[in-house]
Amino acid sequence: MKKDIIIAGVGGQGILSIATTIGMAALEMNLHLKQSEVHGMSQRGGDVVSNLRISDKEIFSDLIPFGKADMIISVEPMESLRYLPMLSENGWLITNSVPFKNISHYPEVEKVLTEVKKFKNHVLIDADGIAKDLGSVKSANIVILGAASPYLDIPLEVLTIAITKIFKNKGQEVIDLNLKALELGREFSLKQA
Amino acid sequence: MQKMLLLGDEAIALGAIDAGLSGVYAYPGTPSTEITEYIVSSKIAKEKGVKARWCANEKTAMEAAIGMSYAGKRTMVCMKHVGLNVAADGFINSSITGANGGLIVVVADDPSMHSSQNEQDSRFYGKFAMIPIFEPSSQQEAYNMVHYGFDISEKYRVPVMIRITTRLAHSRAGVGRMAEKEQNKLKLPADLKQFVLLPSIARKNFKRLLDNQEVFEKDAEISGFNKYVEGKDKSKGIIACGIAYNYLMENFQENGFPFPLLAIGQHPVPTNMLKKLYDECQEIYVFEDGYPLVEEMLKGSLNLGKPIHGRLDGTLTRDGELNPNKVAVALGLKDTIGQPIPAVVANRPPALCSGCPHTDSYLALNEVLKDYSKGRVFSDIGCYTLAALAPLEAINTCVDMGASITMAYGAADAGLVPAIAVIGDSTFTHSGITGLLDCVVHKANVKVFILDNFTTGMTGGQPSAAMGRIEAICSGVGVEPEHIRVIKPLAKNHEENMRIIREELAYDGPSVIIPRRECIITLDKRMREKFKNK
Ligand SMILES: Cc1ncc(C[n+]2csc(CCOP(=O)(O)OP(=O)(O)O)c2C)c(N)n1
Ligand code: SF4
């Protein structure tokens, strides 16, 4: 088993929560893992990306080679497109549909979404909306993770364990909200498939 | 024991704690910051009484570490690559004093300049100082090298360098721990004159360092961090330093690696190993993330021998970080790429947070400066440097920490008056105070804005040594108290703030204006902590 995942977003959007959850799940499964992150300057509202690699064999490079990523998970639609050169031919593009507009020259949102839809394997999900309906806006990233989960080769139970462990200190209520967020994202994705 | 998922930075931190560290000294700087942050917040380190200190700058950190080494304890000093420029005096001279307690200098380079002014390669400093240098290729190796580094630092009484790059610093992987060691007891050097660098003693120490070069090389041959791997296909011989090894192997996972390979993790590189590779292969390829140190060494200026390929002959780009694709192309393998980035994607440069105090400071300054010719704002390094970009476009320079005040001083001498300096609170105590003293001594017409947001913002909000001390420092240095003005950068104070700035611009001499308001990110963090503790 081997999955190379690009996780994308804007500095401050907390993309690392997605990486951390998948990472925790990979540890549960005793897989090898390498996860490169962005710290520093770009965290001030610039584009940020994390390379997450999990495998049952030894992993060498911390960076995924161009054209070899199995999946892009993005918490922002325009950012999902920035990493298309990384994605493999049959890879999945899974992105939040809600734009994060911290620049004056942000393109027309429709044009961005059209580009996403051109991609044959894509999931475009209103994660913010779903999280808001759930009463937990902070869980949008977990909704997106849920949408990606059918294509991750990680059993749902293992992701559930990972989320439970990660939010352990925040109490049962927070755990339940995030498990629900995971489930809603997953359902959305499966319905499309 | 289960492996721990650690950043390269954290692996170094934990390695040091486990290897009997007594104190870490550092000034923050991407990508090195997380080493010291890990130790600062480590429960184990606290229980063991490890001193974890943010220092005023890299030089004071370096010297504190030399002091702890003098006292016989294991110590580490951490910085980003340009920090070593600041610490260079202490660093180079520490190779002459030698170490007593184990002394490791960790330097994190930033090829591709993700968050830096340049991409200088610290291995050249290590070579310059003639000390052993370690270049880990993985988080586990980084952890192990700290243990080994302390051991040989004490064995040969020499400081050692661990050099990492951004990619390893900020990438996570599983790390297994080794047995924990006790801290050293206080134990001064056997020769109490070891650290007295008077010429007569320094000459003796330097001879010892020179004599030890052979010993260091021998050590690098047997330590296990330099590996020679035999290969059947001798048409190419490959040298891979540090993390470049991973990019190389990434390209040979299916079919195995065919060529003889020298993987380098410790310098000085053993000549025997280099010679073996050179003798048995037709051409040599050198992969190193950074400047072509080994390549240059091997090639020499006359380049009379076998073909050596790498960054110098254009096989690889001369600048920028390596990656698996660059290595593949260099070796004539097939390149891979996905789809192009659609034209609709706009670039998204980093920017000041919305609500940042710096924005209000610049809005006032920009408006006041409309009455003057352009190009007179000398800035420094921090979040406030982002004002170089639109929409603020408020500053004209950013060179090195502290250079705002001193460059403004030089430009004022050249006739550009008034000259404006803009510097953050942490940068001011890092390297701004002496420059301000120059301005005072020479009564320069320089207006120094010290942007006090109570923190070291750019690197994630470490405490600032300037906290609560700025006015006292400025008046202590000799700025007239009536020309030290504090303003609160808020939209509602805009007119008032402009009035104060104009008053100081009218004065022909050094003034300090302190726009003071907390960084909203640290404010937010503080409020959440407070809420949590209630
Ligand atoms: C010699 C050196 N050390 C460290 C750094 C990394 N660095 C860049 S900006 C900065 C923080 C500046 O803090 P401050 O001056 O308070 O400004 P703020 O970011 O809070 O606005 C640091 C540590 C550097 N560029 N050069
Ligand atoms: S981190 Fe603080 S100082 Fe830096 S841009 Fe954001 S608000 Fe401003």
Side-chain angles (χ1 to χ4, degrees), chain B residues 107-430:
Chain B
V107 195
D109 291 355
D110 190 17
S112 279
M113 305 181 220
H114 300 281
S115 297
S116 307
Q117 311 107 283
N118 72 33
E119 54 177 44
Q120 67 186 61
D121 186 329
S122 301
R123 297 177 305 166
F124 282 85
Y125 263 117
K127 196 166 159 12
F128 188 26
M130 293 189 265
I131 61 172
I133 312 165
F134 293 91
E135 268 194 274
S137 66
S138 68
Q139 294 74 357
Q140 183 69 60
E141 206 170 41
Y143 176 93
N144 297 351
M145 282 172 171
V146 176
H147 283 259
Y148 189 76
F150 275 132
D151 288 347
I152 70 162
S153 172
E154 287 173 359
K155 184 170 165 195
Y156 305 129
R157 287 192 288 134
V158 66
V160 304
M161 172 189 278
I162 295 183
R163 182 261 190 177
I164 55 172
T165 57
T166 305
R167 206 48 68 183
L168 184 69
H170 289 164
S171 174
R172 255 172 236 286
V175 175
R177 291 170 73 179
M178 293 162 51
E180 290 178 56
K181 292 201 182 94
E182 291 287 319
Q183 287 181 41
N184 291 350
K185 301 248 161 9
L186 190 70
K187 183 170 176 286
L188 302 192
D191 172 8
L192 275 178
K193 295 208 172 68
Q194 182 191 331
F195 285 72
V196 185
L197 293 188
L198 273 171
S200 58
I201 301 169
R203 281 185 211 115
K204 227 172 54 209
N205 286 4
F206 185 47
K207 279 236 164 57
R208 196 176 77 86
L209 179 68
L210 292 173
D211 289 344
N212 265 337
Q213 295 304 303
E214 221 172 294
V215 180
F216 298 162
E217 192 179 315
K218 223 26 290 121
D219 193 281
E221 210 171 318
I222 56 169
S223 68
F225 292 121
N226 290 327
K227 292 178 265 300
Y228 197 98
V229 188
E230 305 288 345
K232 276 208 205 87
D233 181 352
K234 302 201 182 340
S235 62
K236 293 183 172 77
I238 314 285
I239 296 174
C241 298
I243 200 168
Y245 172 77
N246 302 346
Y247 301 140
L248 180 70
M249 295 318 281
E250 182 72 28
N251 285 296
F252 292 92
Q253 273 167 316
E254 274 115 60
N255 307 322
F257 195 75
F259 311 112
L261 165 70
L262 174 56
I264 294 175
Q266 184 179 342
H267 302 249
V269 183
T271 312
N272 288 343
M273 290 175 146
L274 282 176
K275 188 159 178 346
K276 178 167 155 63
L277 191 82
Y278 187 85
D279 284 347
E280 73 176 5
C281 301
Q282 289 166 16
E283 299 177 60
I284 308 293
Y285 284 76
V286 189
F287 297 103
E288 36 196 340
D289 216 2
Y291 291 3
L293 177 109
V294 173
E295 186 185 345
E296 214 166 71
M297 203 165 74
L298 209 57
K299 197 165 189 163
S301 24
L302 297 182
N303 190 19
L304 296 174
K306 292 180 180 176
I308 313 268
H309 304 292
R311 291 196 187 261
L312 292 172
D313 73 341
T315 301
L316 293 161
T317 56
R318 187 67 173 75
D319 61 337
E321 192 184 9
L322 291 182
N323 63 34
N325 294 81
K326 285 189 185 176
V327 172
V329 172
L331 289 174
L333 303 173
K334 201 174 130 250
D335 199 8
T336 54
I337 186 103
Q339 298 193 14
I341 305 173
V344 60
V345 176
N347 64 347
R348 191 181 318 246
L352 293 169
C353 304
S354 83
C356 174
H358 298 331
T359 306
D360 291 306
S361 302
Y362 280 124
L363 287 174
L365 180 62
N366 273 356
E367 195 169 334
V368 169
L369 289 184
K370 276 189 189 144
D371 300 341
Y372 296 82
S373 63
K374 275 190 180 306
R376 58 179 72 238
V377 182
F378 299 84
S379 186
D380 227 295
I381 308 190
C383 286
Y384 50 93
T385 317
L386 296 171
L389 310 173
L392 287 166
E393 298 187 319
I395 64 168
N396 306 109
T397 70
C398 156
V399 178
D400 66 75
M401 289 186 79
S404 56
I405 301 179
T406 34
M407 281 180 69
Y409 165 51
D413 259 4
L416 187 70
V417 280
I420 317 288
V422 182
I423 186 169
D425 52 335
S426 178
T427 305
F428 177 64
T429 41
H430 179 287

Side-chain angles (χ1 to χ4, degrees), chain B residues 54-77:
Chain B
W54 290 119
C55 303
N57 65 35
E58 292 86 353
K59 180 171 187 282
T60 65
M62 180 76 226
E63 290 154 354
I66 299 173
M68 186 170 261
S69 170
Y70 170 87
K73 302 207 173 179
R74 292 192 161 185
T75 180
M76 193 160 76
V77 49

Side-chain angles (χ1 to χ4, degrees), chain A residues 131-172:
Chain A
K132 203 166 151 207
D133 290 345
L134 188 64
S136 172
V137 280
K138 276 196 190 149
S139 302
N141 288 1
I142 300 295
V143 173
I144 298 167
L145 175 62
S149 65
Y151 309 106
L152 273 176
D153 283 355
I154 296 177
L156 184 62
E157 307 84 69
V158 180
L159 284 174
T160 305
I161 296 172
I163 288 180
T164 309
K165 282 197 173 172
I166 285 169
F167 294 102
K168 189 176 65 194
N169 292 335
K170 306 216 161 148
Q172 193 58 41

Side-chain angles (χ1 to χ4, degrees), chain A residues 10 27 33-37 39-42 44-47 53 58 60-63 65-68 76 78-79 81-82 84-85 87 100 102-103 105-107 111-112 115 119, chain B residues 2 5 7 30 34 114-115 139 167 170-173 243 246-247 249-250 253 322-325 336-342 344-351 383 386 457-458 460:
Chain A
V10 180
L27 273 193
L33 175 145
K34 278 200 175 178
Q35 179 210 323
S36 98
E37 309 172 357
H39 296 227
M41 191 119 153
S42 294
R44 305 269 155 276
D47 50 270
R53 315 190 73 186
E58 184 179 2
F60 287 101
S61 170
D62 299 81
L63 291 171
F66 284 93
K68 292 286 178 93
E76 208 279 347
M78 186 176 81
E79 292 309 320
L81 299 171
R82 197 182 300 283
L84 285 185
L87 195 59
F100 186 88
N102 65 341
I103 45 172
H105 55 290
Y106 195 96
K111 284 195 182 145
V112 172
E115 286 294 338
F119 217 76
Chain B
Q2 207 190 7
L5 253 195
L7 294 176
T30 315
E34 291 77 10
H114 300 281
S115 297
Q139 294 74 357
R167 206 48 68 183
H170 289 164
S171 174
R172 255 172 236 286
I243 200 168
N246 302 346
Y247 301 140
M249 295 318 281
E250 182 72 28
Q253 273 167 316
L322 291 182
N323 63 34
N325 294 81
T336 54
I337 186 103
Q339 298 193 14
I341 305 173
V344 60
V345 176
N347 64 347
R348 191 181 318 246
C383 286
L386 296 171
M458 181 56 109

